[in-house]
Amino acid sequence: APPDQSLPTFSSVVVLISVGSVVVTLQTQLLGGHVSFFQALCVLGYCIAPLDIAALISCFVQLIYVRVPVCLLCLAWCVWASMKFFEGTKVAANRVLLAVYPLFLFYFILAWMILIQ
C-alpha cells in the first residue's frame, strides 16, 4: 500500500481477522462444539499461517499465474487445518458443513485480499 494508506490497510486487516475469528468461534460454540473461546481464537490464528506464506510469496512474485495457484493451495491448507481442529470439538456430524462454511468464507476473504494487493 502507498505510505498514506498503510495505517488504514493494516487496521482493516487486523479488524477483519479479529472479527472473523470471533464470529467463527461463536458459531462453533452455538453449533454445540465443546471448545474454549480463547483456544479456538488461537487455533484460528495459527491456521492463518499458510496465507501468511502466500502473502510473502506474492510480495516478491507479481505474476498472477503464480499467485493464484499459491493462494488457492494455501486457502485449502488453511481450511483443512481448521477442519482438523474443529473435528475435535465434537460438532455434530450433520452440522459440520455449517461450521466449515464460515471458515471457508473467512479464509477466502483473506486470500482474495492477498490476490488483489
Short mmCIF file of all heavy atoms in Angstrom, two decimals, residues 58-117:
data_model
loop_
_atom_site.label_atom_id
_atom_site.label_comp_id
_atom_site.label_asym_id
_atom_site.label_seq_id
_atom_site.Cartn_x
_atom_site.Cartn_y
_atom_site.Cartn_z
N SER A 58 3.59 -13.53 -2.68
CA SER A 58 3.01 -12.57 -3.62
C SER A 58 3.67 -11.19 -3.54
O SER A 58 3.53 -10.40 -4.47
CB SER A 58 1.51 -12.44 -3.40
OG SER A 58 1.24 -11.81 -2.18
N CYS A 59 4.40 -10.93 -2.47
CA CYS A 59 5.16 -9.67 -2.40
C CYS A 59 6.32 -9.69 -3.39
O CYS A 59 6.70 -8.64 -3.91
CB CYS A 59 5.69 -9.44 -1.00
SG CYS A 59 4.48 -8.89 0.18
N PHE A 60 6.88 -10.86 -3.62
CA PHE A 60 8.05 -10.96 -4.47
C PHE A 60 7.73 -11.42 -5.89
O PHE A 60 8.50 -11.16 -6.81
CB PHE A 60 9.08 -11.91 -3.84
CG PHE A 60 9.60 -11.42 -2.53
CD1 PHE A 60 9.26 -12.05 -1.35
CD2 PHE A 60 10.40 -10.30 -2.46
CE1 PHE A 60 9.72 -11.59 -0.14
CE2 PHE A 60 10.87 -9.82 -1.26
CZ PHE A 60 10.53 -10.47 -0.09
N VAL A 61 6.63 -12.13 -6.06
CA VAL A 61 6.24 -12.64 -7.38
C VAL A 61 4.98 -11.91 -7.81
O VAL A 61 3.94 -12.04 -7.19
CB VAL A 61 5.99 -14.17 -7.32
CG1 VAL A 61 5.58 -14.68 -8.68
CG2 VAL A 61 7.22 -14.89 -6.83
N GLN A 62 5.07 -11.16 -8.88
CA GLN A 62 3.93 -10.37 -9.35
C GLN A 62 3.10 -11.07 -10.42
O GLN A 62 2.05 -10.58 -10.80
CB GLN A 62 4.44 -9.02 -9.89
CG GLN A 62 5.12 -8.18 -8.84
CD GLN A 62 4.20 -7.82 -7.69
OE1 GLN A 62 3.03 -7.52 -7.90
NE2 GLN A 62 4.71 -7.87 -6.48
N LEU A 63 3.54 -12.22 -10.90
CA LEU A 63 2.81 -12.94 -11.94
C LEU A 63 1.54 -13.56 -11.36
O LEU A 63 1.59 -14.33 -10.40
CB LEU A 63 3.67 -14.05 -12.55
CG LEU A 63 4.89 -13.59 -13.34
CD1 LEU A 63 5.74 -14.79 -13.72
CD2 LEU A 63 4.45 -12.84 -14.58
N ILE A 64 0.41 -13.23 -11.96
CA ILE A 64 -0.87 -13.74 -11.46
C ILE A 64 -0.96 -15.25 -11.66
O ILE A 64 -1.65 -15.94 -10.90
CB ILE A 64 -2.05 -13.00 -12.14
CG1 ILE A 64 -3.35 -13.24 -11.38
CG2 ILE A 64 -2.19 -13.40 -13.58
CD1 ILE A 64 -3.44 -12.53 -10.08
N TYR A 65 -0.24 -15.79 -12.66
CA TYR A 65 -0.25 -17.22 -12.92
C TYR A 65 0.45 -18.00 -11.81
O TYR A 65 0.23 -19.20 -11.68
CB TYR A 65 0.40 -17.54 -14.27
CG TYR A 65 -0.30 -16.87 -15.41
CD1 TYR A 65 0.32 -15.86 -16.13
CD2 TYR A 65 -1.59 -17.23 -15.75
CE1 TYR A 65 -0.33 -15.23 -17.18
CE2 TYR A 65 -2.25 -16.61 -16.80
CZ TYR A 65 -1.62 -15.61 -17.50
OH TYR A 65 -2.27 -15.00 -18.52
N VAL A 66 1.26 -17.35 -11.04
CA VAL A 66 1.91 -17.98 -9.89
C VAL A 66 1.12 -17.69 -8.62
O VAL A 66 0.94 -18.58 -7.78
CB VAL A 66 3.37 -17.48 -9.75
CG1 VAL A 66 4.01 -18.02 -8.50
CG2 VAL A 66 4.18 -17.83 -10.98
N ARG A 67 0.63 -16.49 -8.49
CA ARG A 67 -0.05 -16.08 -7.26
C ARG A 67 -1.37 -16.80 -7.04
O ARG A 67 -1.70 -17.17 -5.90
CB ARG A 67 -0.28 -14.57 -7.27
CG ARG A 67 1.02 -13.81 -7.13
CD ARG A 67 0.88 -12.35 -7.37
NE ARG A 67 -0.10 -11.75 -6.47
CZ ARG A 67 -0.35 -10.46 -6.45
NH1 ARG A 67 0.30 -9.66 -7.26
NH2 ARG A 67 -1.23 -9.98 -5.63
N VAL A 68 -2.14 -17.02 -8.11
CA VAL A 68 -3.45 -17.68 -7.96
C VAL A 68 -3.29 -19.11 -7.44
O VAL A 68 -3.94 -19.48 -6.46
CB VAL A 68 -4.26 -17.62 -9.27
CG1 VAL A 68 -5.48 -18.52 -9.20
CG2 VAL A 68 -4.68 -16.20 -9.56
N PRO A 69 -2.45 -19.96 -8.06
CA PRO A 69 -2.32 -21.31 -7.52
C PRO A 69 -1.76 -21.34 -6.10
O PRO A 69 -2.19 -22.16 -5.28
CB PRO A 69 -1.36 -22.01 -8.48
CG PRO A 69 -1.35 -21.20 -9.71
CD PRO A 69 -1.70 -19.82 -9.31
N VAL A 70 -0.83 -20.44 -5.80
CA VAL A 70 -0.27 -20.40 -4.45
C VAL A 70 -1.35 -20.03 -3.45
O VAL A 70 -1.48 -20.66 -2.39
CB VAL A 70 0.94 -19.43 -4.38
CG1 VAL A 70 1.33 -19.15 -2.95
CG2 VAL A 70 2.11 -20.00 -5.15
N CYS A 71 -2.16 -19.03 -3.78
CA CYS A 71 -3.24 -18.61 -2.86
C CYS A 71 -4.29 -19.71 -2.70
O CYS A 71 -4.78 -19.94 -1.59
CB CYS A 71 -3.88 -17.33 -3.34
SG CYS A 71 -2.96 -15.87 -2.87
N LEU A 72 -4.64 -20.38 -3.79
CA LEU A 72 -5.62 -21.46 -3.69
C LEU A 72 -5.10 -22.62 -2.86
O LEU A 72 -5.84 -23.20 -2.05
CB LEU A 72 -6.02 -21.94 -5.09
CG LEU A 72 -6.88 -20.98 -5.90
CD1 LEU A 72 -7.12 -21.54 -7.29
CD2 LEU A 72 -8.18 -20.69 -5.19
N LEU A 73 -3.84 -22.96 -3.06
CA LEU A 73 -3.24 -24.03 -2.27
C LEU A 73 -3.20 -23.67 -0.78
O LEU A 73 -3.55 -24.49 0.08
CB LEU A 73 -1.82 -24.33 -2.78
CG LEU A 73 -1.07 -25.43 -2.05
CD1 LEU A 73 -1.72 -26.77 -2.30
CD2 LEU A 73 0.38 -25.43 -2.49
N CYS A 74 -2.81 -22.44 -0.49
CA CYS A 74 -2.74 -22.01 0.91
C CYS A 74 -4.13 -21.87 1.52
O CYS A 74 -4.32 -22.14 2.71
CB CYS A 74 -1.97 -20.70 1.02
SG CYS A 74 -0.21 -20.91 0.69
N LEU A 75 -5.11 -21.48 0.72
CA LEU A 75 -6.50 -21.42 1.20
C LEU A 75 -6.98 -22.82 1.58
O LEU A 75 -7.57 -23.02 2.65
CB LEU A 75 -7.40 -20.82 0.12
CG LEU A 75 -8.90 -20.86 0.38
CD1 LEU A 75 -9.27 -20.00 1.58
CD2 LEU A 75 -9.66 -20.41 -0.86
N ALA A 76 -6.71 -23.79 0.72
CA ALA A 76 -7.09 -25.17 1.02
C ALA A 76 -6.39 -25.68 2.27
O ALA A 76 -6.98 -26.38 3.10
CB ALA A 76 -6.78 -26.07 -0.17
N TRP A 77 -5.12 -25.32 2.43
CA TRP A 77 -4.34 -25.72 3.60
C TRP A 77 -4.96 -25.13 4.87
O TRP A 77 -5.10 -25.82 5.88
CB TRP A 77 -2.91 -25.27 3.41
CG TRP A 77 -1.91 -25.71 4.42
CD1 TRP A 77 -2.11 -26.54 5.49
CD2 TRP A 77 -0.53 -25.35 4.46
NE1 TRP A 77 -0.94 -26.71 6.19
CE2 TRP A 77 0.04 -25.99 5.58
CE3 TRP A 77 0.26 -24.55 3.66
CZ2 TRP A 77 1.38 -25.83 5.91
CZ3 TRP A 77 1.60 -24.41 4.00
CH2 TRP A 77 2.15 -25.05 5.11
N CYS A 78 -5.35 -23.86 4.83
CA CYS A 78 -5.97 -23.21 5.99
C CYS A 78 -7.28 -23.89 6.38
O CYS A 78 -7.52 -24.16 7.56
CB CYS A 78 -6.24 -21.74 5.70
SG CYS A 78 -4.81 -20.69 5.64
N VAL A 79 -8.12 -24.13 5.39
CA VAL A 79 -9.42 -24.75 5.68
C VAL A 79 -9.22 -26.16 6.20
O VAL A 79 -9.88 -26.58 7.16
CB VAL A 79 -10.32 -24.72 4.42
CG1 VAL A 79 -11.59 -25.52 4.65
CG2 VAL A 79 -10.65 -23.29 4.04
N TRP A 80 -8.30 -26.91 5.60
CA TRP A 80 -8.03 -28.28 6.06
C TRP A 80 -7.53 -28.29 7.50
O TRP A 80 -7.99 -29.09 8.32
CB TRP A 80 -7.00 -28.93 5.13
CG TRP A 80 -6.61 -30.30 5.58
CD1 TRP A 80 -7.30 -31.47 5.41
CD2 TRP A 80 -5.43 -30.65 6.31
NE1 TRP A 80 -6.62 -32.51 5.98
CE2 TRP A 80 -5.47 -32.03 6.53
CE3 TRP A 80 -4.34 -29.92 6.77
CZ2 TRP A 80 -4.47 -32.69 7.21
CZ3 TRP A 80 -3.34 -30.59 7.45
CH2 TRP A 80 -3.40 -31.96 7.67
N ALA A 81 -6.60 -27.39 7.82
CA ALA A 81 -6.06 -27.35 9.19
C ALA A 81 -7.13 -26.96 10.19
O ALA A 81 -7.21 -27.53 11.29
CB ALA A 81 -4.89 -26.37 9.25
N SER A 82 -7.98 -26.02 9.83
CA SER A 82 -9.06 -25.62 10.73
C SER A 82 -10.08 -26.73 10.91
O SER A 82 -10.59 -26.93 12.02
CB SER A 82 -9.76 -24.37 10.20
OG SER A 82 -8.86 -23.30 10.12
N MET A 83 -10.38 -27.43 9.83
CA MET A 83 -11.33 -28.54 9.94
C MET A 83 -10.80 -29.63 10.85
O MET A 83 -11.57 -30.22 11.62
CB MET A 83 -11.62 -29.12 8.55
CG MET A 83 -12.55 -28.26 7.73
SD MET A 83 -12.82 -28.91 6.07
CE MET A 83 -13.20 -30.61 6.36
N LYS A 84 -9.51 -29.90 10.77
CA LYS A 84 -8.93 -30.92 11.65
C LYS A 84 -9.07 -30.52 13.11
O LYS A 84 -9.31 -31.35 13.97
CB LYS A 84 -7.45 -31.15 11.30
CG LYS A 84 -7.25 -31.85 10.00
CD LYS A 84 -7.89 -33.22 10.04
CE LYS A 84 -7.72 -33.94 8.74
NZ LYS A 84 -8.42 -35.21 8.72
N PHE A 85 -8.93 -29.24 13.40
CA PHE A 85 -9.11 -28.77 14.77
C PHE A 85 -10.57 -28.90 15.19
O PHE A 85 -10.89 -29.40 16.27
CB PHE A 85 -8.66 -27.32 14.92
CG PHE A 85 -9.14 -26.69 16.19
CD1 PHE A 85 -8.61 -27.09 17.42
CD2 PHE A 85 -10.13 -25.73 16.17
CE1 PHE A 85 -9.07 -26.52 18.60
CE2 PHE A 85 -10.59 -25.16 17.34
CZ PHE A 85 -10.05 -25.56 18.55
N PHE A 86 -11.48 -28.46 14.33
CA PHE A 86 -12.89 -28.46 14.71
C PHE A 86 -13.50 -29.85 14.73
O PHE A 86 -14.59 -30.04 15.27
CB PHE A 86 -13.70 -27.52 13.82
CG PHE A 86 -13.52 -26.09 14.20
CD1 PHE A 86 -12.88 -25.20 13.35
CD2 PHE A 86 -13.95 -25.62 15.41
CE1 PHE A 86 -12.70 -23.88 13.72
CE2 PHE A 86 -13.78 -24.31 15.80
CZ PHE A 86 -13.15 -23.43 14.94
N GLU A 87 -12.83 -30.85 14.14
CA GLU A 87 -13.30 -32.23 14.30
C GLU A 87 -13.20 -32.66 15.75
O GLU A 87 -14.00 -33.46 16.22
CB GLU A 87 -12.48 -33.17 13.43
CG GLU A 87 -12.84 -33.13 11.96
CD GLU A 87 -11.95 -34.02 11.12
OE1 GLU A 87 -11.07 -34.72 11.68
OE2 GLU A 87 -12.11 -34.00 9.89
N GLY A 88 -12.23 -32.13 16.47
CA GLY A 88 -12.06 -32.47 17.88
C GLY A 88 -13.00 -31.72 18.80
O GLY A 88 -13.04 -32.01 20.00
N THR A 89 -13.77 -30.79 18.29
CA THR A 89 -14.70 -30.03 19.13
C THR A 89 -16.04 -30.73 19.29
O THR A 89 -16.91 -30.24 20.00
CB THR A 89 -14.95 -28.62 18.56
OG1 THR A 89 -15.56 -28.74 17.29
CG2 THR A 89 -13.66 -27.84 18.48
N LYS A 90 -16.21 -31.85 18.62
CA LYS A 90 -17.42 -32.66 18.71
C LYS A 90 -18.67 -31.95 18.21
O LYS A 90 -19.75 -32.06 18.80
CB LYS A 90 -17.61 -33.17 20.14
CG LYS A 90 -16.45 -34.03 20.59
CD LYS A 90 -16.75 -34.72 21.88
CE LYS A 90 -15.67 -35.62 22.36
NZ LYS A 90 -14.33 -35.34 22.14
N VAL A 91 -18.51 -31.19 17.11
CA VAL A 91 -19.69 -30.65 16.43
C VAL A 91 -20.40 -31.83 15.78
O VAL A 91 -19.76 -32.71 15.21
CB VAL A 91 -19.27 -29.60 15.37
CG1 VAL A 91 -20.46 -29.17 14.54
CG2 VAL A 91 -18.63 -28.41 16.03
N ALA A 92 -21.72 -31.86 15.87
CA ALA A 92 -22.49 -32.98 15.33
C ALA A 92 -22.20 -33.15 13.84
O ALA A 92 -21.95 -32.19 13.11
CB ALA A 92 -23.98 -32.73 15.55
N ALA A 93 -22.21 -34.39 13.39
CA ALA A 93 -21.85 -34.71 12.01
C ALA A 93 -22.75 -34.01 11.00
O ALA A 93 -22.29 -33.63 9.92
CB ALA A 93 -21.90 -36.22 11.79
N ASN A 94 -24.02 -33.81 11.33
CA ASN A 94 -24.92 -33.15 10.39
C ASN A 94 -24.76 -31.63 10.41
O ASN A 94 -25.40 -30.93 9.63
CB ASN A 94 -26.37 -33.53 10.66
CG ASN A 94 -26.83 -33.14 12.06
OD1 ASN A 94 -26.02 -32.80 12.92
ND2 ASN A 94 -28.13 -33.22 12.29
N ARG A 95 -23.90 -31.10 11.26
CA ARG A 95 -23.66 -29.66 11.34
C ARG A 95 -22.24 -29.25 10.94
O ARG A 95 -21.88 -28.09 11.07
CB ARG A 95 -23.92 -29.17 12.77
CG ARG A 95 -25.34 -29.32 13.20
CD ARG A 95 -25.52 -28.80 14.58
NE ARG A 95 -26.91 -28.88 14.98
CZ ARG A 95 -27.35 -28.50 16.14
NH1 ARG A 95 -26.52 -28.00 17.04
NH2 ARG A 95 -28.63 -28.60 16.43
N VAL A 96 -21.48 -30.20 10.46
CA VAL A 96 -20.08 -29.90 10.11
C VAL A 96 -20.01 -28.87 8.99
O VAL A 96 -19.20 -27.93 9.04
CB VAL A 96 -19.33 -31.20 9.73
CG1 VAL A 96 -17.97 -30.89 9.14
CG2 VAL A 96 -19.19 -32.09 10.95
N LEU A 97 -20.86 -28.99 7.97
CA LEU A 97 -20.83 -28.02 6.87
C LEU A 97 -21.22 -26.62 7.35
O LEU A 97 -20.73 -25.63 6.82
CB LEU A 97 -21.76 -28.45 5.74
CG LEU A 97 -21.23 -29.60 4.88
CD1 LEU A 97 -22.25 -29.99 3.83
CD2 LEU A 97 -19.91 -29.25 4.25
N LEU A 98 -22.08 -26.56 8.35
CA LEU A 98 -22.43 -25.25 8.92
C LEU A 98 -21.24 -24.61 9.62
O LEU A 98 -21.14 -23.39 9.69
CB LEU A 98 -23.59 -25.39 9.90
CG LEU A 98 -24.96 -25.70 9.30
CD1 LEU A 98 -25.97 -25.97 10.41
CD2 LEU A 98 -25.42 -24.56 8.43
N ALA A 99 -20.36 -25.42 10.14
CA ALA A 99 -19.15 -24.89 10.79
C ALA A 99 -18.05 -24.58 9.78
O ALA A 99 -17.28 -23.65 9.97
CB ALA A 99 -18.65 -25.88 11.83
N VAL A 100 -17.99 -25.36 8.70
CA VAL A 100 -16.92 -25.19 7.72
C VAL A 100 -17.17 -24.01 6.79
O VAL A 100 -16.24 -23.31 6.40
CB VAL A 100 -16.73 -26.49 6.91
CG1 VAL A 100 -15.79 -26.30 5.74
CG2 VAL A 100 -16.22 -27.59 7.82
N TYR A 101 -18.42 -23.75 6.45
CA TYR A 101 -18.73 -22.68 5.51
C TYR A 101 -18.21 -21.31 5.96
O TYR A 101 -17.56 -20.61 5.19
CB TYR A 101 -20.24 -22.65 5.24
CG TYR A 101 -20.65 -21.59 4.26
CD1 TYR A 101 -20.29 -21.68 2.93
CD2 TYR A 101 -21.39 -20.49 4.68
CE1 TYR A 101 -20.66 -20.70 2.03
CE2 TYR A 101 -21.76 -19.50 3.79
CZ TYR A 101 -21.40 -19.62 2.46
OH TYR A 101 -21.75 -18.64 1.59
N PRO A 102 -18.45 -20.88 7.20
CA PRO A 102 -17.89 -19.59 7.62
C PRO A 102 -16.36 -19.59 7.66
O PRO A 102 -15.74 -18.56 7.39
CB PRO A 102 -18.46 -19.34 9.01
CG PRO A 102 -19.47 -20.36 9.23
CD PRO A 102 -19.33 -21.42 8.22
N LEU A 103 -15.77 -20.74 7.99
CA LEU A 103 -14.31 -20.85 7.94
C LEU A 103 -13.80 -20.59 6.54
O LEU A 103 -12.85 -19.84 6.33
CB LEU A 103 -13.86 -22.24 8.37
CG LEU A 103 -13.70 -22.51 9.84
CD1 LEU A 103 -13.46 -24.00 10.05
CD2 LEU A 103 -12.58 -21.71 10.39
N PHE A 104 -14.44 -21.23 5.57
CA PHE A 104 -14.04 -21.05 4.18
C PHE A 104 -14.19 -19.59 3.76
O PHE A 104 -13.29 -19.02 3.13
CB PHE A 104 -14.86 -21.96 3.27
CG PHE A 104 -14.56 -21.73 1.82
CD1 PHE A 104 -13.40 -22.23 1.26
CD2 PHE A 104 -15.43 -21.00 1.02
CE1 PHE A 104 -13.10 -22.01 -0.08
CE2 PHE A 104 -15.14 -20.78 -0.31
CZ PHE A 104 -13.98 -21.29 -0.87
N LEU A 105 -15.31 -18.96 4.10
CA LEU A 105 -15.51 -17.56 3.74
C LEU A 105 -14.46 -16.66 4.38
O LEU A 105 -13.95 -15.74 3.75
CB LEU A 105 -16.91 -17.10 4.14
CG LEU A 105 -18.05 -17.59 3.29
CD1 LEU A 105 -19.37 -17.05 3.83
CD2 LEU A 105 -17.87 -17.19 1.85
N PHE A 106 -14.17 -16.92 5.64
CA PHE A 106 -13.18 -16.13 6.38
C PHE A 106 -11.82 -16.20 5.70
O PHE A 106 -11.20 -15.18 5.41
CB PHE A 106 -13.11 -16.63 7.82
CG PHE A 106 -12.04 -16.03 8.65
CD1 PHE A 106 -11.97 -14.66 8.86
CD2 PHE A 106 -11.09 -16.83 9.26
CE1 PHE A 106 -10.97 -14.10 9.65
CE2 PHE A 106 -10.10 -16.28 10.05
CZ PHE A 106 -10.04 -14.92 10.24
N TYR A 107 -11.37 -17.40 5.41
CA TYR A 107 -10.07 -17.57 4.77
C TYR A 107 -10.09 -17.12 3.31
O TYR A 107 -9.08 -16.64 2.79
CB TYR A 107 -9.57 -19.00 4.89
CG TYR A 107 -9.22 -19.39 6.30
CD1 TYR A 107 -9.70 -20.57 6.87
CD2 TYR A 107 -8.42 -18.59 7.08
CE1 TYR A 107 -9.38 -20.92 8.16
CE2 TYR A 107 -8.09 -18.92 8.38
CZ TYR A 107 -8.58 -20.09 8.91
OH TYR A 107 -8.26 -20.43 10.19
N PHE A 108 -11.24 -17.27 2.63
CA PHE A 108 -11.34 -16.83 1.24
C PHE A 108 -11.19 -15.31 1.14
O PHE A 108 -10.53 -14.82 0.22
CB PHE A 108 -12.68 -17.27 0.63
CG PHE A 108 -12.86 -16.81 -0.78
CD1 PHE A 108 -12.22 -17.47 -1.81
CD2 PHE A 108 -13.65 -15.71 -1.08
CE1 PHE A 108 -12.36 -17.05 -3.12
CE2 PHE A 108 -13.80 -15.28 -2.38
CZ PHE A 108 -13.16 -15.95 -3.40
N ILE A 109 -11.79 -14.58 2.06
CA ILE A 109 -11.66 -13.12 2.04
C ILE A 109 -10.20 -12.71 2.23
O ILE A 109 -9.69 -11.83 1.54
CB ILE A 109 -12.56 -12.48 3.10
CG1 ILE A 109 -14.02 -12.63 2.70
CG2 ILE A 109 -12.22 -11.02 3.32
CD1 ILE A 109 -15.00 -12.26 3.77
N LEU A 110 -9.52 -13.38 3.13
CA LEU A 110 -8.10 -13.08 3.34
C LEU A 110 -7.27 -13.44 2.10
O LEU A 110 -6.38 -12.68 1.70
CB LEU A 110 -7.57 -13.82 4.57
CG LEU A 110 -8.19 -13.39 5.90
CD1 LEU A 110 -7.69 -14.30 7.01
CD2 LEU A 110 -7.87 -11.95 6.20
N ALA A 111 -7.58 -14.59 1.48
CA ALA A 111 -6.85 -14.98 0.27
C ALA A 111 -7.14 -13.99 -0.87
O ALA A 111 -6.23 -13.66 -1.64
CB ALA A 111 -7.25 -16.40 -0.14
N TRP A 112 -8.36 -13.52 -0.96
CA TRP A 112 -8.71 -12.56 -2.00
C TRP A 112 -7.93 -11.25 -1.79
O TRP A 112 -7.46 -10.63 -2.76
CB TRP A 112 -10.21 -12.29 -1.99
CG TRP A 112 -10.65 -11.39 -3.09
CD1 TRP A 112 -10.99 -10.08 -2.97
CD2 TRP A 112 -10.72 -11.70 -4.46
NE1 TRP A 112 -11.30 -9.57 -4.19
CE2 TRP A 112 -11.14 -10.53 -5.14
CE3 TRP A 112 -10.48 -12.84 -5.21
CZ2 TRP A 112 -11.32 -10.50 -6.51
CZ3 TRP A 112 -10.66 -12.79 -6.57
CH2 TRP A 112 -11.08 -11.63 -7.20
N MET A 113 -7.79 -10.83 -0.55
CA MET A 113 -7.02 -9.62 -0.26
C MET A 113 -5.56 -9.79 -0.68
O MET A 113 -4.93 -8.84 -1.14
CB MET A 113 -7.12 -9.26 1.22
CG MET A 113 -8.49 -8.77 1.61
SD MET A 113 -8.64 -8.45 3.37
CE MET A 113 -7.56 -7.05 3.56
N ILE A 114 -5.03 -11.00 -0.53
CA ILE A 114 -3.66 -11.27 -0.95
C ILE A 114 -3.56 -11.20 -2.46
O ILE A 114 -2.60 -10.63 -3.01
CB ILE A 114 -3.19 -12.64 -0.42
CG1 ILE A 114 -3.06 -12.60 1.09
CG2 ILE A 114 -1.87 -13.06 -1.07
CD1 ILE A 114 -2.87 -13.95 1.73
N LEU A 115 -4.55 -11.73 -3.16
CA LEU A 115 -4.51 -11.74 -4.63
C LEU A 115 -4.60 -10.33 -5.22
O LEU A 115 -3.96 -10.04 -6.21
CB LEU A 115 -5.64 -12.58 -5.18
CG LEU A 115 -5.39 -14.07 -5.23
CD1 LEU A 115 -6.62 -14.80 -5.73
CD2 LEU A 115 -4.21 -14.40 -6.10
N ILE A 116 -5.40 -9.47 -4.63
CA ILE A 116 -5.62 -8.15 -5.24
C ILE A 116 -4.62 -7.11 -4.77
O ILE A 116 -4.72 -5.95 -5.18
CB ILE A 116 -7.05 -7.65 -5.00
CG1 ILE A 116 -7.33 -7.42 -3.52
CG2 ILE A 116 -8.05 -8.58 -5.63
CD1 ILE A 116 -8.65 -6.76 -3.25
N GLN A 117 -3.68 -7.48 -3.96
CA GLN A 117 -2.73 -6.48 -3.46
C GLN A 117 -1.91 -5.89 -4.58
O GLN A 117 -1.62 -6.46 -5.56
CB GLN A 117 -1.83 -7.06 -2.40
CG GLN A 117 -0.74 -7.95 -2.92
CD GLN A 117 0.18 -8.38 -1.80
OE1 GLN A 117 0.04 -7.98 -0.67
NE2 GLN A 117 1.13 -9.20 -2.14
#
